[in-house]
Each structure stands twice: as C-alpha cells, then as structure tokens.
Amino acid sequence: MRKAFQLVSLFAVVIIAAGLTVSCKGKDGGGAAPAGAPAAAPAADSGPAMSDADFEKAKGIYFDRCGGCHGTLRKGATGPDITPANTTKKTLEKLEKTIFDGTPAGMPGWGRQGLMTKEETTLMAKYIQKPAPIPPEMGLAKIKTTHKLMVPVAQRPSSPEHGRDINEFFGFILRDVGKGAIIDGKTKELMSVVDTGFAVHIFRSSSSGRYFYTVGRDGKVNAIDLFAKTPNVVAEVKTCTEARSIDVSKYNGPKGNFVDKYAVVGCYWPPQMVVLDGQTLEPLKIISTRSHTYDENEYHPEPRVAAIIASHYDSEWVVAVKETGMVWLVDYADLNNLKMTQIAAERFLHDGGWDATKRYFLVAANMKDQMVVVDTKEKKFVTKFETGTKPHPGRGANWVDPKYGPVNATVHLGEGKIAVYGADPKGNPQHAWKVLYEAETEGPGLFIKTHPKSNHVWADNTIAKTEGANKKVCVLKKDKMEEGTNCFQVTDVGLVVHFEYNKAGDEVWISVWDKKGKILVYDDKTLKLKHTIENQDWLVTPTGKWNVYNTVHDIY
Ligand code: DHE
C-alpha cells in the first residue's frame, strides 16, 4: 500500500514551511555565503555572465540549500545531476521557473514559498549553467592549522568533578546557534552549553563515554569533556568544509586497546575520512573516498561519506560511501599499513546502524527504496530489499517480536510508514531481511527508536505535509503489532524530531524543533508527559540528542 511518490527534498520543504533552518538551507536563509560555506576556486569563465559579487552570493545559496541533495560538484545524489551538460540543454527561463516553482517530483518551490526572491532564482539559474566551482582540498597540513587544544590531557580531571554519573548525560544539538547542551538526564539539570561547529549534525560518545564529539556541517569537530565540573570543549579542529558523520574507535581485544584512541570524521567535501587523536583531536590521517562506482566502475570525484559506525568486535569502522554505493570496512589497527574491505552495496547510501547483535550493518540506499545488509563478521554483502519509499532509519530500531524473533525497522522519507523486517538470519532464517509488518504513521518521518527494556517503538512524522501531523509522535506496541500505531500530538509549536531513551530505558526524550525549542520527556510505559524543559534562552532549535550510555553501547 504505497502513498504518493515524493522526493526527499520534501525534507526541506516541510521544515522550511515551518520557518526553521533545514539542511538544504542555512541559518541565514541564503544570501552571502555562511561562515561554514567552503571557499572555492573561481569558476571557469563560461556560461551566462555574472558579476563576482553575484557569483559569490549564488555560491552561498547553493551551499545552504542545494548541495546536500545535488552534491558539491552537482553530479546528483538525492537530487538529479545539474551540471552544465544538463542545465545548458534548458533555457534560463525554464531553469528559473523550476527553481521558483519546484517540481512534482519533489524539488521545493524556492520562490513560490518565499524562500528565494525572483532575483535570486534568476541568479541560481545562471549559476547552475556555469561550471561548479570546486572548493579547495583540505590536506593534513591545512587541517593542522585549525587544530586547537584548549585543555591539554594532563590538565584534565581524572574523575568526574561533579560527582554525577556521566552515563545519564545527554548531549543536545542546538542547531541554528552552533551550540550544544549537556543535560544530566537523571536530574534534568542543564550542565553546560558549549560552542560547536555550524549546525552540528550529530554527537557521538567516545568509547569510554567520557567525551562527546560533535561534528558541524562545516566539518568542525569539538571534543567535550564530561568529567569537567562544567562540561567544556577541550579540543577543536576543522577537518573539512562539509561533513555529516563522526564515530570513534571501540575495539579492545587481541589487536590492541583502542578505547578513546581515535575519532573519525566522514566528510562530504573534500570526499574523505579524517582520523583524529581521540584525546586531543590532532589530525592523524586522511583517507580519500574518491574511487569508482560499485556497479559501473565509473570514476566518481565526489563520493561523500554518509553514516559511519564503529565495530565492537574488530578494529574497524564501517563506512557508507554514498555516491559509489560501497560499504568500506576500514581497519584502524595499523594506520600506516591500512587494510580495508570494500563491499559493493547500492547507491546512494545514507543512514544506518547495527542489528541487535552488532554483526550486521543495516543501511538505507534511500533513492532505491532499499535497505542494504552487510555482514561485518564475514566482511560480505548479504542482501538488499525494498521497504518503501525512501527508507530513513537514522540508526534504526531493534527488538524481539513475539512471533518473528529479532527484528529491525525503519521509517520513510517518502511515505508515512514503518517497515519491520526480520533481523535474525541464524535463529529465524525464514524471516531474515523480509518485511514482516507495515504500520502507518501520520506522514513521512525521519527517525525511529526503541530500547530493549521497552515495549514501545517511537516514530516521528517530521516531514509530514498534513496540517499538524509533524507535531505528533506515533508509537507501536512490540507485543501488539497488529494494533498498528497510536499517534498523538505532543506539541502545538515547531516540529517533533528524533528520540532518545535514557539509560534505564523508561523515558523517551523528544525534541521540539523550534526557535523557542522544547525538550519533552515522556514516561515510556504510560506514554504520559513527565517533564518539559522550555522557555530557556539557550534552548534554540534542538534537533538530535544522545544519551551517553546508549550511544557507547549502540542501544537503539
Ligand atoms: Fe541528517 C544523521 C546526512 C538532513 C538530522 N544525516 C545523518 C547521517 C547522514 C546525514 C549521512 C548519518 C550519520 C551517521 O550516523 O554517521 N542529513 C544528511 C543529509 O545529507 C541531509 C539529507 C541533507 C543535508 O544537507 O544535510 C540531512 N539531518 C538532516 C536534517 O534536516 C536534520 C533533521 C536536521 C539537521 O541538522 O540538518 C538532520 N541527521 C540528523 C540527525 C542524525 C542524522 C539527528 C543522527 C541520527 C542518530 O540517531 O544518530
């Protein structure tokens, strides 16, 4: 039962309609290049005439609103290829109209929605008929110039100075103000607000849980020391001009102890991974992802790093390389003699996480409507299967179904549906990697979450178009799947996005993404609101959030 096909750029449309900053749109709403926008080599002097000032303005708008979907080099990923080879086949008037009005396939009508002026859509039409300016490379020497060690390791506390349990701590993104908040989940008290990169995309915990690492859309990484009385940034480095992912080294075994040893950043531009010292963020090594597509073996100059997850059983990072459709298992045991397994998977890879055993990496190839399964023990591709229109699991959700055994699930960008599929090839091979249940939500969503101690699975409807749907959550009962979802409103402002459980697995923390943001804490058993954090000056556009214990142990 499919609902109407919608492209991922709805992601942008609906959120923008709510007056919020979204990935394809920066906090300044276009215009001059934002602080995070990559400086670029001047464009070849071909295509329609543009003044230098107009060109710079268009470049900023492209970084803000277009690059996430069409790619820095405009070769296409979630959105189509808009290099001059294609755009010059169309008249400027036609291009301008498309940018102004959007397309039925899902591209936002930037002008129609009042998000670009008529002049700006004219500018963008010209801009995309000119060759894409190529942003600069970031080699190790350049990255090193951005490295700051605020608190040397020897000057950091050896145990928590606040006497609290850091496993209870949450890290919250405060997206539009380039900050992060640390909250004690037990007492619900704010511990600190720290400066981070521009529009931080994710937090990850170091493998001991002591540090939170954040990665900004601008590639800036911050390490936050949770032992400090007031958790503070102890190191910073800018690894690339555009990034979305970061993870850590989690392995401790015969090959060595890598706990808190490394962090690794996944860049969009330059297309590369950057390995950092886990204590100081000193940049150590760059691994380029430029290579050939998994199927046609054609060279791709911009294979962006999407999700990265760290193996618990081997010294490996599992890396989804978006444009080439490869999953790389990168062994960090010997960085000078780097070993890697390159697994052909599917294009275009996006987000994903572990199954409950942490053996299988389940990652969305959302433009193919598929989930891909990689066996990190055998280091092999297992299968890919269709779930619905553009699966978007975040890191996914794992639980044990009373009828089918261990399952995993995703929500979808293109339709309001939770797809639940078997995830136990050993115990229940007949159900493995097959969709077993589908449950309707209130509309397209971004994230799904559960906890082993909970009987509930929570899904958001963040990009639903129906009035009010994006203010609701939808909850499934694990032992009564056939009943479908229970969807209810949790806010009258903003958008509901992303869930995280507390350490005990009895509270669900929800962000209300709004300029005057809120944090809602629900009792997971009763589904009743237990606590609200609101009307705080610092609480601006909260989006993703992570509990230390659950993040260290990959509990989701
Ligand atoms: Fe995300 C995860 C990329 C838009 C909030 N997002 C990810 C990951 C990738 C990614 C590759 C996986 C990281 C990992 O696990 O290592 N996101 C992108 C995009 O390319 C996209 C579509 C457009 C863009 O230009 O950024 C995009 N993402 C968004 C948003 O609009 C969201 C809602 C708010 C924002 O800040 O832009 C958003 N993305 C998130 C969050 C996660 C995420 C909260 C982490 C989920 C988790 O549970 O770990």
Side-chain angles (χ1 to χ4, degrees):
M1 193 190 35
R2 279 281 164 85
K3 289 187 183 161
F5 179 83
Q6 299 158 331
L7 269 188
V8 70
S9 19
L10 283 178
F11 206 154
V13 186
V14 182
I15 297 171
I16 289 167
L20 294 169
T21 308
V22 71
S23 309
C24 292
K25 168 185 177 292
K27 66 176 167 186
D28 301 321
D45 195 13
S46 63
M50 283 177 91
S51 70
D52 286 353
D54 281 352
F55 188 83
E56 281 306 304
K57 182 173 179 187
K59 192 177 80 190
I61 295 174
Y62 188 86
F63 174 75
D64 272 0
R65 295 183 167 166
C66 320
C69 297
H70 294 281
T72 304
L73 301 181
R74 307 190 203 140
K75 287 182 174 292
T78 308
D81 177 326
I82 50 164
T83 52
N86 287 331
T87 53
T88 51
K89 288 182 193 147
K90 297 188 172 140
T91 61
L92 278 174
E93 289 70 31
K94 168 92 178 106
L95 288 175
E96 193 182 325
K97 187 169 171 8
T98 305
I99 299 167
F100 194 91
D101 290 332
T103 66
M107 173 160 148
W110 298 106
R112 202 167 20 85
Q113 291 171 47
L115 298 159
M116 282 188 204
T117 62
K118 185 90 179 66
E119 290 68 42
E120 284 171 339
T121 55
T122 310
L123 207 63
M124 293 315 290
K126 288 185 184 168
Y127 181 74
I128 60 172
Q129 279 198 342
K130 292 173 86 68
I134 301 178
E137 298 296 318
M138 295 263 304
L140 208 61
K142 188 163 177 184
I143 296 173
K144 278 187 174 168
T145 63
T146 70
H147 178 225
K148 291 183 200 149
L149 187 60
M150 285 84 159
V151 185
V153 179
Q155 289 169 25
R156 297 180 196 165
S158 54
S159 59
E161 290 176 327
H162 38 62
R164 301 172 190 240
D165 178 3
I166 61 164
N167 285 306
E168 301 279 0
F169 284 15
F170 281 75
F172 263 84
I173 294 173
L174 304 171
R175 191 190 187 283
D176 290 8
V177 285
K179 292 183 191 291
I182 309 299
I183 297 176
D184 181 348
K186 190 136 196 148
T187 62
K188 320 283 188 286
E189 285 167 288
L190 177 71
M191 298 291 299
S192 62
V193 174
V194 297
D195 288 331
T196 58
F198 170 70
V200 160
H201 217 83
I202 64 170
F203 275 54
R204 289 289 183 255
S205 293
S206 72
S207 35
S208 73
R210 176 190 179 146
Y211 299 104
F212 261 137
Y213 303 107
T214 65
V215 63
R217 189 183 180 72
D218 57 0
K220 193 192 272 184
V221 175
N222 290 92
I224 304 164
D225 185 2
L226 301 183
F227 277 8
K229 191 162 190 335
T230 303
N232 58 341
V233 171
V234 290
E236 178 181 297
V237 66
K238 184 168 158 65
T239 50
C240 25
T241 49
E242 228 195 308
R244 298 291 185 281
S245 55
I246 186 162
D247 215 329
V248 303
S249 52
K250 291 195 168 168
Y251 176 76
N252 183 5
K255 285 156 99 178
N257 180 356
F258 293 91
V259 170
D260 290 1
K261 193 165 167 64
Y262 299 130
V264 61
V265 183
C267 302
Y268 267 18
W269 189 273
Q272 62 193 25
M273 301 161 64
V274 182
V275 183
L276 307 171
D277 181 288
Q279 303 287 324
T280 63
L281 297 187
E282 184 197 343
L284 301 174
K285 185 175 180 78
I286 295 177
I287 304 163
S288 172
T289 50
R290 285 191 175 105
S291 57
H292 294 74
T293 54
Y294 87 95
D295 46 359
E296 291 161 357
N297 277 268
E298 288 300 327
Y299 176 70
H300 201 294
E302 189 194 357
R304 295 178 286 176
V305 179
I308 304 182
I309 55 172
S311 172
H312 292 251
Y313 303 114
D314 204 347
S315 49
E316 280 180 339
W317 289 306
V318 183
V319 182
V321 187
K322 190 187 278 285
E323 276 78 6
T324 51
M326 306 283 286
V327 173
W328 286 5
L329 309 182
V330 179
D331 188 340
Y332 50 75
D334 181 355
L335 289 180
N336 290 325
N337 300 284
L338 195 75
K339 281 195 215 140
M340 190 192 295
T341 307
Q342 300 190 345
I343 298 171
E346 187 49 274
R347 288 191 263 175
F348 294 88
L349 299 176
H350 192 69
D351 52 349
W354 291 115
D355 75 309
T357 66
K358 301 179 180 62
R359 170 172 175 171
Y360 297 97
F361 176 47
L362 310 175
V363 57
N366 53 27
M367 289 311 285
K368 298 278 183 185
D369 298 341
Q370 290 180 347
M371 288 295 298
V372 171
V373 185
V374 166
D375 180 348
T376 64
K377 187 170 173 207
E378 295 291 329
K379 307 191 194 307
K380 277 188 180 145
F381 170 82
V382 177
T383 189
K384 46 194 173 190
F385 57 98
E386 225 177 278
T387 62
T389 312
K390 298 184 180 44
H392 190 277
R395 285 169 295 159
N398 291 298
W399 71 93
V400 180
D401 179 84
K403 189 162 154 200
Y404 296 110
V407 293
N408 183 276
T410 183
V411 288
H412 294 82
L413 298 177
E415 59 182 322
K417 179 169 86 178
I418 299 172
V420 182
Y421 34 87
D424 181 23
K426 207 164 167 208
N428 290 281
Q430 70 280 28
H431 305 312
W433 323 128
K434 290 184 185 121
V435 176
L436 305 167
Y437 296 106
E438 289 183 357
E440 260 194 89
T441 62
E442 296 274 319
L446 300 180
F447 299 108
I448 184 163
K449 189 60 57 84
T450 190
H451 187 281
K453 294 198 182 131
S454 162
N455 188 36
H456 289 134
V457 182
W458 296 66
D460 61 25
N461 306 278
T462 317
I463 53 173
K465 275 179 145 181
T466 326
E467 182 65 29
N470 51 27
K471 297 180 171 44
K472 293 185 178 178
V473 296
C474 293
V475 182
L476 275 175
K477 277 192 189 148
K478 292 178 185 171
D479 60 355
K480 290 200 180 113
M481 278 284 150
E482 59 292 347
E483 285 183 2
T485 50
N486 167 16
C487 300
F488 53 95
Q489 186 173 342
V490 298
T491 175
D492 48 10
V493 296
L495 307 173
V496 169
V497 70
H498 199 249
F499 307 96
E500 178 70 314
Y501 276 82
N502 62 340
K503 183 188 168 203
D506 58 8
E507 288 175 356
V508 177
W509 290 51
I510 302 172
S511 305
V512 175
W513 183 1
D514 192 65
K515 289 194 175 99
K516 287 188 161 188
K518 292 188 202 179
I519 297 170
L520 309 174
V521 183
Y522 270 76
D523 182 315
D524 179 65
K525 248 199 184 79
T526 61
L527 305 186
K528 296 270 181 272
L529 182 65
K530 193 173 165 183
H531 188 83
T532 305
I533 306 175
E534 60 184 336
N535 298 324
Q536 305 291 319
D537 289 348
W538 56 268
L539 193 44
V540 183
T541 54
T543 52
K545 68 209 76 72
W546 290 266
N547 162 265
V548 170
Y549 185 86
N550 294 337
T551 310
V552 167
H553 298 280
D554 285 293
I555 295 172
Y556 37 77

